[in-house]
Amino acid sequence: MTPIFENRTFTHRVLIIVAIVTLTILLIWGAIYVIDVILLVFAAALLAVFLRGLAELTRRYTNLPEGLSVLLVAVLLIAILALAVSMLAPSVAEEVRHLRDELPKSAQKAGEYISRFGWGRAIIDQLPSADEVIQKIDASSLLTRVGGYFSSTVGAIANFFIVILLAIYLATEPQTYIKGFSKLFTFDKRLRVVEVFETIGETLQMWLIGKVASMLFIGLLTWIGLWAIGVPLSFTLGLLAGLLSFIPNFGPILSAVPAILLAFIASPVSAVYVIGLYVGVQLIESNVVTPIIERETVELPPALTIVSQLALSVLIGGLGLVLATPILAVIMVLVQTVYIEDILGDKHTEVRKKDLEDDDAENGTSDKDGKT
């Protein structure tokens, strides 16, 4: 091989490496720039999986076409949601207004109680007073925040309808989009890409079913428990607990704060009862509901879930915190199917593990029989 040919080969390789690195940087930069759009698409896909599962259940009893069953389920869900909002909105809105008025009073009472202790006074001394907070807020910043709130509210409503529309399209013809994406790969890999997408869909579907059941369980049990304790606005607080339980680890803490503060109005003992109620509900959910969910879906390590929630909440914000767990579920499926099974070639890990356990059990039995 001549030196000129060697130099050309080396230059060609360097150019390829530079092109790959540049393309990777551009892709990462583009993904960061449009991360909100990516999360909206993922939320739409998550909702599409839920609609798809309900549509398949509907088809078993109605024999309707696939697209029509998805549309029927979507219309029924929207109608049920609209009916629930029209029936519950007045009472919930009144309770929310009452909650907004009572929370400052309960927070003040809780602060007065905590200040009786040395550690409580040390914490309260570090907090800014109300006058200091008001002085830091001038008219211009207030107007800016009001305008930002208005624009964010309008944007949230628009995003809500966009997610619903995308979800209906994705749920109606998912194979069209999956097969279209699979054509980006070589012919021998396309079937595997479709299989991976189907595995992701099944995992998210079972995770969503379990999560909805968990939300209903937590909401109802919290409502009944708060009503039994005598905490005001028990229905609104139970509804809040059920909705926020969609966010593991942090949702229950956020939902417990207003209930504990309201309980302080009655007495500190009531606040202790409320804390015990929320802890008990979470213990029951963690030891009864969660194992049933993980029996059918991918098991998510708690530490990894918290890390993903913190990372996405810092990088993206509230939407990242909400979608961190299903995103982690998708990543776990991709690691299992693409990396462990395809790249490492370990396609039968669970099967071999079960076979080894069965062999150990048989050997233990035979040894025991031999001894007898």
Side-chain angles (χ1 to χ4, degrees), residues 99 218-219 222 234-246 251-252 254-259 278:
L99 182 64
I218 291 177
T222 304
S234 59
F235 178 77
T236 301
L237 294 173
L239 180 63
L240 182 65
L243 292 176
L244 289 179
S245 65
F246 185 84
L254 295 175
S255 63
V257 171
Y278 275 82

Side-chain angles (χ1 to χ4, degrees), residues 21-32:
V21 172
T22 304
L23 181 60
T24 303
I25 293 174
L26 289 175
L27 288 175
I28 294 175
W29 178 83
I32 295 174

